Amino acid sequence: MFILTEMKNVTRILPENFNMKLNDAIVRELNKKLANKVVLNVGLCIALFDITSLKESFIIPGDGASHTIVNFRYIVFRPFMEEILVGKIRSCNENGVHVTLGFFDDILIPPNALQHPSKFNETEQAWVWEYDTGDGGKHDLFMDIGDCLRFRVTAESFTETCPPGPSGLQEEDSTTTTNKIPYNLTGSINEPGLGILSWWDN
Amino acid sequence: MEIVNSNSASLSNYEVLKHLQKIKESKIKHGGQLATITYETLHYLEEAQCKNQTAESIAACIKDLEPFNLNKSEKLMLVNTPPTTALEIQLMIEESEDRLTEEQVQQILNILVQHFPHIAPAKQDDNQEEEEEEENSD
């Protein structure tokens, strides 16, 4: 679920940080720039892994800061397709089951990827797997908030999110852009062994 | 910023856990987003199986899994979330019915328990009926 991504950046170090060692200052800048951010088609950045090379630093006329070309590797959360992960249920609604890993929340299991047959219980606000006991009866298995569940990653999608434009210019636009989710995963639990962990305990 | 190689290597949960612990313990003051994501990811990983693993046990386990002809991502999943039942193996290994015999599946489960002994007890707390349940193979 975690990978290493090699990246290259021109890192700008402000004069006020010249008292720090160059490496430390760069590590700080890179983490400030990337930690907890989604990079398009790469994944959710977690933390700097290491710096692989540092080129000579240079200055640009009219700017007191130093600029350094740096090659580095970053730890990125990006599960591969078909990977099996364990998460917790964050919420349930008609659109499916929302799953969280704690550090990553945008995982949705749509209704057609739940165990069959499942239905949404309006009063409990939870999805229920109507497990067929084999003797004509059925056993309701609830999916409650906070339950641990095992799921398979089936799809991912990245959405470009631009920084909001100047305030006041596009009022109605800004409300739509803030709702965009940059990195979305889709999961499924419609196979034996997937779903709430306790379903398969014995 | 430029992406040189978006996927240069896969990391196991254990490696990420160790790296984040190092960041957390380092003297340098980290603020903002790095602190948030480090805290949240550590929280997740500390609940997962990797907290009881060691670099040696993972290396030895991977070596023992060699003869089964599994691919890299399958082995990674076996280490990240060690399965304890044949059903879970079936999920993680594609076409496992064709590629592995029942005996081999059992061998894989035994190898995992042998290298990661902590995964066994979690399964035995409540009712174990007619299911096989290997008796605490130490």
Side-chain angles (χ1 to χ4, degrees):
Chain A
M1 76 196 236
F2 296 103
I3 58 168
L4 276 185
T5 299
E6 286 171 36
M7 300 190 229
K8 184 180 172 186
N9 187 43
V10 180
T11 303
R12 180 167 179 262
I13 306 292
L14 289 173
E16 65 192 54
N17 294 325
F18 284 175
N19 61 331
M20 296 170 75
K21 272 170 72 182
L22 181 64
N23 275 44
D24 292 345
I26 286 176
V27 167
R28 209 176 82 156
E29 281 305 313
L30 291 175
N31 277 328
K32 206 154 88 184
K33 184 185 168 86
L34 287 167
N36 209 2
K37 302 260 189 338
V38 170
V39 176
L40 195 70
N41 298 328
V42 172
L44 172 69
C45 295
I46 307 284
L48 182 74
F49 189 76
D50 60 3
I51 292 175
T52 45
S53 81
L54 274 181
K55 303 259 162 57
E56 239 166 67
S57 303
F58 52 89
I59 52 171
I60 294 171
D63 185 355
S66 80
H67 297 73
T68 313
I69 298 175
V70 50
N71 282 289
F72 58 98
R73 295 191 292 178
Y74 218 84
I75 301 175
V76 173
F77 169 74
R78 176 128 189 231
F80 52 87
M81 289 303 104
E82 306 293 304
E83 183 165 1
I84 306 282
L85 295 178
V86 177
K88 278 200 177 105
I89 296 181
R90 182 165 63 112
S91 66
C92 289
N93 59 25
E94 316 79 71
N95 300 328
V97 177
H98 294 267
V99 180
T100 175
L101 298 180
F103 58 95
F104 184 78
D105 288 336
D106 300 311
I107 305 168
L108 176 71
I109 302 171
N112 60 7
L114 295 171
Q115 292 282 5
H116 190 75
S118 288
K119 73 160 201 269
F120 188 61
N121 185 322
E122 284 287 344
T123 47
E124 297 280 345
Q125 288 291 306
W127 281 88
V128 185
W129 178 24
E130 297 173 316
Y131 178 72
D132 186 353
T133 47
D135 49 11
K138 59 179 189 180
H139 187 62
D140 283 352
L141 293 166
F142 279 80
M143 301 180 70
D144 294 316
I145 291 172
D147 282 351
C148 282
L149 108 173
R150 183 183 292 119
F151 62 98
R152 186 187 288 286
V153 178
T154 52
E156 61 180 3
S157 78
F158 285 94
T159 314
E160 186 139 23
T161 51
C162 309
S167 56
L169 261 181
Q170 337 145 281
E171 291 272 304
E172 63 274 33
D173 257 27
S174 63
T175 51
T176 52
T177 49
T178 49
N179 289 332
K180 266 198 215 162
I181 298 165
Y183 180 34
N184 243 321
L185 290 175
T186 309
S188 83
I189 55 165
N190 53 6
E191 288 168 69
L194 295 179
I196 309 290
L197 297 186
S198 59
W199 291 353
W200 306 100
D201 259 2
N202 43 7
Chain B
M1 204 183 64
E2 191 186 314
I3 311 295
V4 181
N5 182 353
S6 70
N7 188 353
S8 71
S10 299
L11 289 175
S12 70
N13 286 0
Y14 171 80
E15 289 166 291
V16 176
L17 176 75
K18 285 292 142 190
H19 191 82
L20 293 182
Q21 281 172 343
K22 221 163 61 194
I23 291 178
K24 204 178 157 196
E25 282 156 20
S26 70
K27 295 280 165 351
I28 310 154
K29 189 91 184 68
H30 297 290
Q33 294 300 319
L34 180 67
T36 312
I37 193 77
T38 311
Y39 173 80
E40 289 175 346
T41 312
L42 272 176
H43 190 76
Y44 176 79
L45 291 175
E46 278 164 359
E47 278 182 22
Q49 297 291 359
C50 58
K51 67 171 185 298
N52 293 317
Q53 294 173 332
T54 62
E56 293 78 33
S57 72
I58 292 175
C61 179
I62 296 284
K63 207 167 177 190
D64 284 351
L65 289 174
E66 215 57 63
F68 298 103
N69 219 349
L70 305 172
N71 68 32
K72 215 168 119 188
S73 55
E74 287 166 345
K75 278 186 269 190
L76 183 66
M77 270 196 279
L78 291 181
V79 169
N80 276 346
T81 46
T84 49
T85 60
L87 184 63
E88 287 171 66
I89 295 245
Q90 221 178 73
L91 287 170
M92 291 180 192
I93 298 170
E94 224 178 308
E95 322 235 318
S96 64
E97 294 94 333
D98 301 336
R99 289 166 57 196
L100 300 168
T101 63
E102 255 173 64
E103 206 173 286
Q104 285 175 313
V105 169
Q106 200 52 48
Q107 278 171 9
I108 294 178
L109 289 173
N110 289 343
I111 289 172
L112 291 169
V113 173
Q114 181 200 333
H115 291 289
F116 312 128
H118 58 272
I119 63 176
K123 283 274 155 188
Q124 292 171 334
D125 41 12
D126 43 26
N127 51 339
Q128 67 232 80
E129 273 113 43
E130 77 280 73
E131 284 293 323
E132 12 80 274
E133 204 68 66
E134 68 279 333
E135 45 272 2
N136 272 346
S137 51
D138 283 327

